[in-house]
Amino acid sequence: RVVAAGVPGALVLIRAHGDTVRVAAGVSDRATGTPLRVTDRFRIGSVTKTMVATVVLQLVDERVLSLGDTVDRWLPGLVPGGRRITIRRLLNMTAGLSDYTDDARLLAPVLAGDFAHHWQPRELVALGTSHPVRFRPGARWAYCNSCYVLLGLVVERATHHAIDDELASRVFRPLGMRGTSFGTGRWIHGAHAHGYVRDGKAL
């Protein structure tokens, strides 16, 4: 029914009572009509936050970072008011930063037909910080993609390694996640489900 409603393809995984069922429907690429397969890769979006948080907390446990460290401690001058925003506030989304996903410029290249465009992490931070803060750091909570891009940059500064390397060595390989990778580039390695946008909204 999801595919019939207009979504190009859908993957479903169900685990119940010790059994696992995987189902694919639709196509992975509308241009070629290639059927979507249960083994195809796909972007996991915000699930990445859980894994980034795991790496940050491991570094805290190793005393490389402290939850009380400020953004300015690791990324001086990158974020206005960064001396008042701690790692803890980035993790629990109480930093008060505006979210780059609320900026209309984020999807503008794709909507203009530039489907190969991709944003660098610091560019995403700049989109978010170009808007007024939502509230004083620590005053309340608001969902914040900008916070987790900043955490990835903190990890890179603290470890002197790319965030994808830290995720691979600390999360993916130890857990046997052979089909999982992280990248900020425009391509997904291997067979994968293509993403589409309609009327400014991702499908």
Side-chain angles (χ1 to χ4, degrees), residues 11 28-29 34-43 178-181 186-195:
L11 292 168
S28 63
D29 187 337
T34 303
L36 190 63
R37 300 172 301 178
V38 294
T39 53
D40 284 354
R41 291 184 172 206
F42 55 93
R43 296 189 187 277
R178 293 182 297 277
T180 304
S181 59
R186 63 184 68 171
W187 308 116
I188 301 176
H189 297 293
H192 61 275
H194 291 248

Side-chain angles (χ1 to χ4, degrees), residues 112-154:
D114 182 5
F115 297 105
H117 184 86
H118 71 286
W119 295 88
Q120 293 296 329
R122 286 176 180 266
E123 293 176 322
L124 295 175
V125 171
L127 284 182
T129 58
S130 68
H131 299 277
V133 297
R134 292 165 162 174
F135 48 83
R136 178 176 51 81
R140 56 190 180 89
W141 180 91
Y143 195 84
C144 184
N145 290 284
S146 301
C147 290
Y148 273 75
V149 173
L150 284 165
L151 286 168
L153 292 171
V154 168

Side-chain angles (χ1 to χ4, degrees), residues 53-133:
T54 297
V55 172
V56 170
L57 292 174
Q58 287 177 348
L59 292 171
V60 169
D61 187 56
E62 295 163 13
R63 302 185 184 277
V64 176
L65 296 174
S66 166
L67 291 176
D69 287 349
T70 64
V71 172
D72 266 7
R73 159 74 174 81
W74 293 102
L75 305 168
L78 185 62
V79 176
R83 68 184 181 279
R84 295 187 301 275
I85 299 173
T86 62
I87 300 295
R88 184 190 303 275
R89 287 175 175 164
L90 293 178
L91 283 168
N92 64 21
M93 300 186 184
T94 60
L97 295 173
S98 290
D99 203 327
Y100 67 82
T101 59
D102 294 331
D103 192 304
R105 291 172 291 180
L106 181 67
L107 287 180
V110 173
L111 295 177
D114 182 5
F115 297 105
H117 184 86
H118 71 286
W119 295 88
Q120 293 296 329
R122 286 176 180 266
E123 293 176 322
L124 295 175
V125 171
L127 284 182
T129 58
S130 68
H131 299 277
V133 297

